[in-house]
């Protein structure tokens, strides 16, 4: 059976891509040239905020004081889960050493970057969970300086719960600045901040473009587009649960794709009936986002076999991938392209987004075909080292000299020659570049 589209998207993230590069580049150039003053001008223009840019301890304490106790407990619960998972991840970054040949020892060492800049969205929705995801992983990795940056609301400032979460999770400084200007402030070390070595966290198209432009001067977690989600469901799935999960992700934004891939036409048709009803019941902003996302970007795909379903999913390489089907172990073994995988009805993307422990900063727009999401590893530099005895260096020097000469790199060859001459003055070595010798 060929794959059949019961609902086909009329738009994609590529056809809807905004021409933001020039706008972002101009802002970055102006802020790099103008420093703090230029960043403040853009903050006044875009954030419409004239309060303190760097929060002091009193401001942080005041914000924390207005956060309801129950929410503090929920933040603590989510932080503990994310921290526990991140600590387990860090254990996989092992320092190693191996004797490659007798007398030559090579090693690997994991070193956290010095300064992490964590961008926390606060516009349409206040992403408390993004503070937990980005700051916690940086802290567990061992970054010495962690900057949390979030857009303030006019006359109000950063959402107090974001401030509280960032502080609890280990942020050293909290910057009340959004958009490109916030990213620039962390990158260029404005307002007395240390320059960030890596920028992490989700954001709108302007934040994403700023990170893309700055990549190379500073590390980034990934270049992210609109969030996307795919559900693999067979005939045993609960249509109401599938529909709720699709709608739950469509509310992210007007251009957030959601896809259903199934081998059951009855399930597909029932889900397509339910989704509009669930969307209509959302609050206004959420409803408007989900309506546009479902209308323009959603797809429902009918396959003949579970292998076709898996292959279709892999071709989409979704950011979030949910399986509501029988034989979960088969799916876990078979699927290979996704940012984060949710197996069975008892898990859902929202769990991973908020509190279960895995990270919600994930690759979008098909990037899951080549990268994973944010983790402790993103903050770690995996570097190598070596040392050798003179006997251990001998065969390496001989091979290096000959390979270098074959490549035409005489200077390289002579760094090997001088060592052989010094360490083994009584020996003669054939270090020529004659490939026929």
């Amino acid at each position: 059976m060929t794959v059949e589209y019961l609902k086909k998207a009329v738009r994609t993230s590529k056809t809807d891509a905004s021409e933001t590069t020039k706008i972002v580049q101009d802002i970055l150039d102006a802020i790099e040239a103008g420093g703090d003053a230029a960043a403040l001008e853009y903050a006044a223009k875009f954030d419409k905020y004239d309060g303190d840019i760097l929060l002091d301890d009193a401001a942080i304490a005041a914000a924390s004081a207005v956060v309801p106790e129950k929410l503090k407990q929920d933040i603590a619960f989510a932080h503990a889960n994310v921290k526990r998972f991140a600590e387990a991840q860090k254990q996989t970054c092992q320092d190693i050493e191996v004797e490659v040949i007798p007398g030559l020892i090579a090693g690997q060492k994991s070193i956290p970057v010095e300064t992490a800049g964590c961008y926390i969205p606060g516009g349409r929705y206040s992403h408390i969970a993004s503070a937990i995801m980005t700051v916690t992983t940086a802290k567990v990795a061992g970054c010495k300086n962690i900057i949390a940056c979030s857009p303030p609301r006019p006359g109000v400032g950063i959402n107090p719960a974001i401030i509280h979460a960032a502080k609890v999770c280990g942020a050293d400084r909290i910057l009340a600045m959004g958009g490109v200007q916030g990213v620039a402030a962390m990158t260029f070390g404005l307002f007395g901040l240390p320059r960030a070595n890596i920028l992490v966290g989700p954001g709108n198209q302007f934040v994403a473009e700023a990170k893309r432009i700055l990549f190379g001067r500073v590390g980034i977690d990934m270049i992210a587009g609109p969030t996307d989600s795919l559900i693999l469901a067979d005939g045993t799935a609960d249509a109401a649960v599938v529909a709720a999960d699709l709608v739950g992700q469509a509310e992210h934004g007007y251009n957030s794709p959601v896809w259903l891939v199934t081998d059951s036409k009855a399930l597909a048709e029932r889900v397509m009936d339910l989704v509009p009803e669930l969307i209509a019941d959302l609050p206004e902003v959420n409803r408007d986002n989900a309506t546009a996302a479902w209308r323009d970007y959603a797809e429902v795909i009918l396959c003949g076999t579970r292998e076709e379903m898996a292959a279709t999913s892999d071709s989409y390489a979704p950011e979030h991938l949910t399986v509501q089907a029988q034989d979960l172990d088969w799916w876990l073994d078979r699927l290979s392209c996704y940012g984060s995988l949710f197996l069975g009805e008892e898990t859902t993307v929202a769990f991973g987004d908020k509190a279960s422990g895995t990270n919600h900063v994930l690759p979008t727009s098909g990037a899951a075909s080549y990268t994973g999401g944010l983790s402790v590893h993103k903050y770690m530099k995996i570097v190598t080292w070596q040392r050798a005895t003179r006997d251990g260096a001998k065969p390496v020097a001989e091979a290096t000299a000959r390979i270098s000469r074959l490549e035409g790199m005489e200077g390289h060859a002579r760094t090997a020659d001088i060592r052989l001459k010094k360490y083994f003055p009584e020996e003669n070595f054939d270090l020529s570049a004659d490939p026929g010798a």
Side-chain angles (χ1 to χ4, degrees):
M1 176 180 175
T2 57
V3 172
E4 178 185 355
Y5 284 81
L6 302 182
K7 185 182 186 310
K8 180 71 173 173
V10 297
R11 303 179 73 90
T12 69
S13 60
K14 293 182 176 62
T15 59
D16 194 59
S18 301
E19 295 298 326
T20 60
T21 300
K22 186 178 187 306
I23 295 172
V24 173
Q25 186 68 68
D26 288 347
I27 295 173
L28 290 173
D29 290 344
I31 293 176
E32 185 168 21
D36 293 5
L40 289 172
E41 288 179 13
Y42 281 108
K45 178 179 179 180
F46 296 123
D47 295 332
K48 295 179 172 53
Y49 172 75
D50 58 3
D52 291 335
I53 295 299
L54 279 176
L55 276 60
D56 59 20
D57 290 343
I60 294 170
S64 183
V66 302
V67 178
E69 187 59 35
K70 184 62 177 175
L71 180 54
K72 287 182 179 178
Q73 293 173 8
D74 290 336
I75 290 170
F77 172 79
H79 171 237
N81 290 345
V82 173
K83 181 173 182 284
R84 190 174 299 113
F85 189 78
E87 288 171 340
Q89 284 183 322
K90 190 177 181 182
Q91 293 303 311
T92 68
C93 295
Q94 296 293 323
D95 293 350
I96 63 168
E97 61 179 68
V98 58
E99 191 168 24
V100 179
I101 60 174
L104 173 64
I105 299 173
Q108 169 183 292
K109 185 174 176 63
S110 303
I111 304 174
V113 300
E114 188 88 2
T115 301
C118 302
Y119 190 88
I120 303 161
R124 184 190 304 126
Y125 304 119
S126 294
H127 283 246
I128 298 165
S130 287
I132 299 170
M133 302 292 171
T134 57
V135 175
T136 302
T137 45
K139 189 70 174 179
V140 171
C143 299
K144 292 182 179 178
N145 305 306
I146 302 172
I147 306 163
C149 172
S150 189
R153 293 180 176 175
V156 178
I158 301 174
N159 183 299
I162 289 179
I163 296 172
H164 174 78
K167 185 62 177 178
V168 165
C169 295
D172 298 296
R173 305 302 300 272
I174 301 176
L175 179 69
M177 189 170 280
V180 178
Q181 60 272 20
V183 171
M186 294 189 289
T187 302
F188 303 143
L190 304 185
F191 307 108
L193 296 170
R195 288 177 178 262
N197 303 115
I198 188 169
L199 299 170
V200 302
N204 63 19
Q205 68 266 37
F206 297 101
V207 170
E209 181 62 13
K211 288 167 65 179
R212 187 193 68 80
I213 291 172
L214 291 166
F215 177 55
R217 299 177 60 172
V218 63
I220 64 172
D221 46 3
M222 65 200 74
I223 298 171
T227 189
D228 59 67
S229 298
L230 188 148
I231 297 178
L232 292 163
D234 65 15
T236 67
D238 184 330
V241 174
V242 173
D245 286 356
L246 291 169
V247 172
Q249 290 305 297
E251 78 171 351
H252 271 286
Y254 72 93
N255 57 352
S256 295
V258 291
W259 306 295
L260 170 61
V261 178
T262 181
D263 59 0
S264 170
K265 189 171 185 179
L267 175 77
E269 291 174 342
R270 179 59 180 151
V271 168
M272 288 191 290
D273 287 340
L274 288 171
V275 165
E277 299 174 12
L278 297 177
I279 291 175
D281 194 45
L282 291 172
E284 182 179 2
V285 172
N286 313 61
R287 180 172 67 245
D288 292 345
N289 287 331
T291 296
W294 179 255
R295 179 189 65 229
D296 297 336
Y297 294 87
E299 294 184 336
V300 178
I301 304 167
L302 185 62
C303 297
T305 66
R306 68 178 184 177
E307 176 55 39
E308 283 184 348
M309 292 168 62
T312 300
S313 176
D314 280 349
S315 71
Y316 277 66
E319 176 187 10
H320 309 102
L321 177 56
T322 300
V323 177
Q324 294 182 19
Q326 292 181 311
D327 197 1
L328 296 178
D329 288 339
W330 183 88
W331 294 98
L332 179 60
D333 290 340
R334 169 60 184 81
L335 296 164
S336 62
C337 296
Y338 52 83
S340 194
L341 178 60
F342 301 84
L343 292 162
E345 181 185 293
E346 294 74 20
T347 65
T348 182
V349 174
F351 290 0
D353 277 352
K354 310 304 177 187
S356 63
T358 57
N359 211 285
H360 82 185
V361 182
L362 300 166
T364 65
S365 305
S369 64
Y370 62 83
T371 188
L374 181 62
S375 69
V376 167
H377 308 115
K378 293 281 185 178
Y379 302 94
M380 307 294 289
K381 300 177 292 184
I382 309 300
V383 298
T384 58
W385 58 267
Q386 59 186 265
R387 63 165 57 115
T389 63
R390 294 185 173 186
D391 285 335
K394 181 179 178 181
V396 179
E398 292 180 82
T400 297
R402 290 190 286 266
I403 291 170
S404 297
R405 289 195 168 93
L406 283 168
E407 293 173 339
M409 304 185 76
E410 183 61 27
H412 279 61
R414 291 180 184 182
T415 65
D417 294 349
I418 194 171
R419 285 167 171 77
L420 290 169
K421 183 176 181 180
K422 178 179 180 179
Y423 302 157
F424 307 99
E426 305 301 321
E427 292 190 46
N428 292 317
F429 298 95
D430 179 6
L431 306 176
S432 70
D434 181 4

